[in-house]
Every structure is written in structure tokens, then in C-alpha cells.
Amino acid sequence: MSQPQKIQIFDTTLRDGEQSPGASIAPEKKIIIARQLARLGIDVIEPGFAVSSPGEFAAVQQIARELQQVEIAGFARAVKADIDAAVQATQDAARRRLHLFISSSDIHLNHQLRKSRDEVVQIAREMVAYGKQFVNEIEFSAMDASRSGREFVIELVEAVISEGATIINLPDTLGYAMPNEMASLFRSVRKEARGGDTVRYSAHCHNDLGLAVANSLAAIEAGATQIEVTVNGIGERAGNCSLEELVMAIETRKDALGAETGIRIGEIYETSRIVSRTMNFPIAYNKPIVGRNAFQHESGIHQDGLLKNRSTYEIMDPAAMGISRSMIILGKHSGSHAIKHRLEEYGIETTEEQLKSIYGRFKEVADGQKIVTDDQLIQMAGDLTQTRPDPYALIDLQVHAGTQRARSATTTIRNNERGTDHSYTAIGEGPVEAVIGAISQAIPAEIAFEDLELHSLSTGEGAYGEAVVSIIHSGKRYRGTSIHKDVILASAQAYISACNQAIMTAGRAREEDHAGGAKESRRILR
Ligand code: KIV
Ligand code: ZN
């Protein structure tokens, strides 16, 4: 069997991805994402457009200095000032390349550049030769290659190869190509351009027709050994080829593609979250791999199959990508088997009678809300036997929000172990900050609030909102979820739920330590 072809992953989240409407990032924050990309194991990073601003130049320089294990691409138009800035900003990189581009389609030449094909060839030649004095590795991109005349792309590529370009990138800039056209473009350039067999090939596909990953895979089949991607597929318009989708397609279908990447797939989810948070760019629920629903199942038939064997309804193991979320969403399509299983995950065992009654209440709630959170389910199970498994419960919440004075919140929290209620007040820049501050006073643990996501579960004024809060306690992340028509209340409940999980986990660890690793105690409802 032949060795799989190694595909280099070129990440342009911080350059092309940043061109996503609404996804900009302060230059000084780019290093946070760059460090995570290095942990993920990308081969090449394009940290920004050095000539565009002093802040951008500094960010490229900082990343080039710090990320010594990754090749750095200095991005430049075919213009001396751009090349100078890119060369200077990447000066201290351990390995670097210059990434130069110019348009090749008649549409761009006539309407934007207002230059003839000969002029474009001449500029490309001169600028590649200019860059080559400073950097040995030159990547040349023929922008809009997929909408350019084939003979002209070949002529341009021949010219830049003769001046020393070492990597040829053929972008589908507008996301217009079909996979067979993309493959054919790569095949003919590789075969017909003089010197075409002396360079490496790269694909850079946009997703306007949802074909960026398919087109990148087609380019691989036609000889490309580098693919340009962005995390979560962010980028201009509908975005770029998504890193996680491409990598997981290669990983999952090695058999069909005969290719591999050096990506550490266990870092995929964390990378996606960091990019989404740092760039304030939400991820669609149904986004492959990293979307909230990507490994969640609501239909009773699917849930039943999964509980018997994961491979019945999943082609990838979410845990391998660092996705720890529960695969089963409890909602109106769930069966009692899934409810029983979820309760058991929390150490709650039920008799058949109890399960029947919990299931009845569950269905009532699920009908109105669509989905039922774990916390609500535990509450239903607890109510049945007058036991309350959570250490803390929210008894009352009052919030004052407005434009004239600080937002304040007063909460009454019950300590279920002691059976006492206490009230706490805090202020914040926003009502949620005030609520979190007030609740935190009741909980005697070092808890770092990490993130709050709010989603609407339906439309209209009476829509239910879902709050998902993540916190960090003793180095571990906990997520609490809650659903309510009042999103401030949902946020408070989700926060308490996450804190309760952290406190219960710490308590269990202490008990196990005490018992010298004795078997985990199970909560039995009687
Ligand atoms: O989409 C595109 O063509 C690009 C190039 C400049 C590489 O981003
Ligand atoms: Zn692009």
C-alpha cells in the first residue's frame, strides 16, 4: 500500500478569516489565536497583512518571533511597499515564506486593476524577482484563478516560476468553481506550465456555493499538497474552506483520499471555541464538527441506536476532537431509555414506577420548551422524592437595569446542605455581570466565569431563551444550561448549575479520597 500523501495545512484565519464581516480582532489579541493554532499543529500561518497598519505589522512580527515551530507567511500584494513590510515583519521567523498575489481573471483586470494581461505578467515577474532577493520560499497566488482563462493562468504561472516562485496557489476566490473544474485546473497547470513539475501546489477555496471543502479535496486529488483554511470557515462573505471540516474529512476518509495531515485533532474543538470567542463570531448550530448540534441526537430511534453502539449514527468520535458535550439532547422526541440513561450518568437510579412518572413530567415540559436541560431533569427526579441533589438553589432574583445608573442584582440563594437562605447584592456594567457577582458571593469556591452564550429557541415575543454558561474550577471546565423566557433568569440558573456541578465533582473526589478510591456512591431514589 502506498504511503498517504502529507497535506500541509496553511491557516489564514488571522488574514483572510479576519476579513469576515463582523469578525475583526484587535492586532494585540492575534497572538492568543496564533498560539492555539501552533498547539493544533498547523504547518503554515498567515498572521495578517503587515502593510495595512502599524498594529497589524506588530502583530505579524510578534507571531513570527514567538512561533518558531510554524512557518510564517508574509502576505503582500504585488507591490514593493507590501513586500518590504511583509519581509521586515517576518524577519525573525525560524521559517518563512513570502505570499504574493495578483489577479488573473479578465473581470478583475478590466474592472479593477485596469491592466492588460501583459502588464500583469510583467508586474508578477518583477515582484517575484524583487521578493526573491529577501526570501527563498515564494508562494504566488493568481487571484480569481478559477474564473480566469486557462492559457493565461498557465502563462502567468510559467513567468513566476521562472523568477523563483516555489509554491503556486490557484484560488477559487469567489467560490464559483465546481469540484471537477477545480481538479482540471490543477491538472492542466501542473502538466502544461513550463517548470510546473518543480513547484508545490496550493488550493484556496471560498465557500459561496458551499463547495469550499469539496473543491479543496478535488484539488488534493489533482496534486495540491497544501490547502489554505480558516478555523470555523470564517472569511469574506460565506467564508473560506473550514479547517476542521477539511481535516476531519481527510482523517475520516483516509481510505478514499490516501492523504493525511499533521493536525492534532484533540485540539480542534478548543481552537474553534477560542476563535469564536476571541473574534466574537458565533458558530452555527448545525456547523459540521464544531456546531452545537454536530454530535447531538434528538430522535428517539437515533438515541436508542447510539446507546447500543455509537457507530450506528456517528461517523466520528467527538471525544477525539476534544468535544465533551453530551451526545443526546433531551427533547420531545426522546424515549424513556434516554431519560433513564441520562439520570444514571448523574448517579440517579430510578424504579420503573418513578421513571414512568418522571417521563410523564418530562414530556409536558418538552412539549412547551422543545429541549429539556439536565438541570431540569434532575429537578424533576429530585421533586419526586423531595430530595434536592444540588448544593445551591436560586430562590429569588431581582434585577435593576436601566441607562441612568449601575445595574444591580439581588439574589436569594438556598444552601441545601445547611437548609439556609441568604440574600446577596452586586452591581455590574450589565445585568448579567451583576447577577453573576451576586450568586458568586453565595458559593465558597474559586470559580472563574468563562463564557455565556444565549440562544433563542423559537421566534416571537414569548420565545424561550437558552443560556449556556461555562466556568473553570480547579482547572476543569463545567457547563451549565438553562431555558427560560427570561434570559437573565436563565443565565443565573445556568451559572448556578455549572457551579453545582463543580462543587459536586470536588465533593465526590474528596469522598473517594477518603474511602481510598472506594466505588462511586450512587444516589438511589426511594
Ligand atoms: O481569495 C483569494 O483569492 C485570496 C488570495 C489573495 C490568496 O485570499
Ligand atoms: Zn481568500
Side-chain angles (χ1 to χ4, degrees), residues 465-514:
E466 182 196 34
V468 183
V469 168
S470 7
I471 60 163
I472 306 278
H473 176 57
S474 298
K476 274 181 76 176
R477 178 172 292 116
Y478 298 87
R479 299 179 92 208
T481 323
S482 181
I483 295 171
H484 205 280
K485 287 187 178 173
D486 175 346
V487 289
I488 305 285
L489 181 53
S491 308
Q493 282 169 338
Y495 181 56
I496 292 196
S497 161
C499 293
N500 279 331
Q501 288 172 42
I503 286 163
M504 287 194 287
T505 306
R508 270 201 296 273
R510 269 198 305 276
E511 272 171 27
E512 278 176 23
D513 268 3
H514 246 74

Side-chain angles (χ1 to χ4, degrees), residues 15-16 75 99 101 141 143-144 169 171-173 204 206 228:
R15 197 277 298 170
D16 218 0
F75 183 68
H99 180 192
F101 78 95
S141 289
M143 184 148 100
D144 209 14
N169 183 33
D172 182 27
T173 305
H204 175 113
H206 281 262
E228 306 194 358

Side-chain angles (χ1 to χ4, degrees), residues 6 9 36-43 70 262-264 267:
K6 166 86 198 286
I9 299 298
Q36 180 58 28
L37 290 170
R39 278 193 285 276
L40 179 68
I42 54 145
D43 300 285
V70 178
I263 294 296
R264 294 180 198 103
E267 293 290 335

